[in-house]
Each structure stands twice: as C-alpha cells, then as structure tokens.
Amino acid sequence: MAHEAVNSHALSKSQLAYQWIKARIGDGTFSPGYRLVLGQIAQELGVSAVPVREAIRLLEAEGLVTFERNVGAQVAMVDEIEYQHTMQTLALVEGYATALAVPLPPKRIATAKKLNAELTACLDDFEPKRFTSLNREFHWALFDACPNPQVLDLVNRGWNRLSGLRTSTFSFVPGRAHESVREHERILALLEQGAPPNEVEQAVREHRLATLDAFLAYQAERHS
C-alpha cells in the first residue's frame, strides 16, 4: 500500500487519495491520457471508491483530470496542437537524420534489433513507461549516428518536447504499440538490406506519422 508520501493520520481519505494521485501525475507515473480506475486506486490505497471519486473531482476542477462519459476519468492531455506540430516536425527531421546516418554499422543495427525484441516482449505484459523508454532507445540507436549536429539537435529537441505525452500515446491508442514494433521491423529490414537513404527516410517518416494519425483518430473518436 502506497502511503509513503503522505501522513495518512493527518489527512482525510479523500485528501490522501488527492495527494497520492496528484503526486503520480506530477512525476509522470500517470501520464496524460492515463485512465484513472477508481477501484484500482482505492484498492492500492486501502480505501473505498468514494474518497477516490472526491479526489478525482478536485483534480478535475484543477484541470489535471478530465472525465468523459463511457471513458471515465483520465489525466488531462497536454496541448494537442503542440503535439501534432511536434510530431510533424519530428517526422521530417528524424527521417532525414536517420537517412544521413545510413549506412549504419552492423553493431548499431544489432543493438536496434535487440531493443525491438525487448519491445516485442513488452507487448504481452504492457507497461507504457518501459515501452516508451525502450522505444526512445531504439530510435536513438538509428538517428544518433547522424553526422550533422544541427539536424541531430532538432531531433533531440523534438523528442524532449514529446517526453510528457509519449507514454500516454501508447497507453490510450489501442494497438499502436503492436503496429509500432512491426514498423520498426520494416525499418530494420531496409537497413540490413542496404536500402537507399531516401527509402529509409520515407519509412521513418511514415512510422512517425502513423503514430500521429492514430492519435488524431483517437481524438476524433473522443469528440464525436
């Protein structure tokens, strides 16, 4: 039971739940889009669902949580337009950075294949945070060999901007993680085959835009 961050004797149950949830939103454990399941949280805290519901209402009033019919409570999203613009930009610069890094040394390709195998293993017992971390390592293995430091800087800036939202992308878009791993395999196959840089660039770009498309489809469904 997770009472470590608060003094449970000095707080009401709803205050305890409020601080517990808010702390996890703050440290990224509950990332934007993360679904807050009352029963699970109540069980974790050893309380009934009532104080958890009260806590979520307080967090909703603060703009940290949203509530939708048939969806439930979830951590509020970050700026959706900023996410869209960042993904579009990253599709361009990361694709180009990876193309400039071609041909990749066999050792680097082997590292990327190992990371994608770990991503595949994550699918059965999905943990968005771990998946996101491995996913970033995978892409880093491909684009970090880019010889142009300015292009590389743009890519890293894009990834940093995404850091607050990426975990949620995989957690709330059903099936995107599976598709992402399959697209990684296609990129790796192109690299192993010695495909021309422009083909690699296009594959990386399409991979990034496929994630954006999944996000936009999810948003459209939410607002329909």
Side-chain angles (χ1 to χ4, degrees), residues 57-131:
R57 284 174 180 163
L58 288 172
L59 292 165
E60 184 180 8
E62 294 180 9
L64 294 176
V65 170
T66 60
F67 188 89
E68 291 185 42
R69 182 177 296 179
N70 300 325
V71 175
Q74 59 184 6
V75 179
M77 298 289 291
V78 296
D79 190 319
E80 295 174 8
I81 297 300
E82 181 181 354
Y83 175 75
Q84 183 174 349
H85 291 170
T86 301
M87 287 292 281
Q88 290 169 337
T89 303
L90 198 54
L92 287 173
V93 295
E94 185 178 346
Y96 187 53
T98 307
L100 288 178
V102 169
L104 290 182
K107 187 175 180 180
R108 188 173 282 265
I109 295 176
T111 298
K113 289 181 70 174
K114 180 175 179 295
L115 288 165
N116 204 43
E118 291 184 48
L119 285 163
T120 302
C122 282
L123 295 175
D124 291 334
D125 187 17
F126 192 61
E127 295 179 23
K129 201 167 185 176
R130 173 165 170 71
F131 189 91

Side-chain angles (χ1 to χ4, degrees), residues 12 22 37 46 55 57 60 67 71 99 112 119 122 129 133 136 138 155 161 163 170-171 197 204 211 218 222:
S12 69
K22 189 170 184 177
V37 180
R57 284 174 180 163
E60 184 180 8
F67 188 89
V71 175
L119 285 163
C122 282
K129 201 167 185 176
S133 177
R136 178 162 185 159
F138 171 85
V155 177
R161 279 196 295 273
S163 61
F170 290 118
S171 64
V204 173
T211 298
Y218 169 80
R222 287 180 65 211

Side-chain angles (χ1 to χ4, degrees), residues 94 98 108 112 115 119 134-144 155 159 166 180 184 187 204 207-208:
E94 185 178 346
T98 307
R108 188 173 282 265
L115 288 165
L119 285 163
L134 287 169
N135 186 60
R136 178 162 185 159
E137 287 185 53
F138 171 85
H139 284 275
W140 186 86
L142 302 186
F143 68 69
D144 187 59
V155 177
W159 273 90
R166 173 54 62 84
S180 182
H184 289 172
I187 294 169
V204 173
H207 170 59
R208 182 68 50 219

Side-chain angles (χ1 to χ4, degrees), residues 102-104 109 187-200:
V102 169
L104 290 182
I109 295 176
I187 294 169
L188 288 169
L190 289 172
L191 292 168
E192 288 189 303
Q193 294 163 11
N198 64 315
E199 289 188 25
V200 174

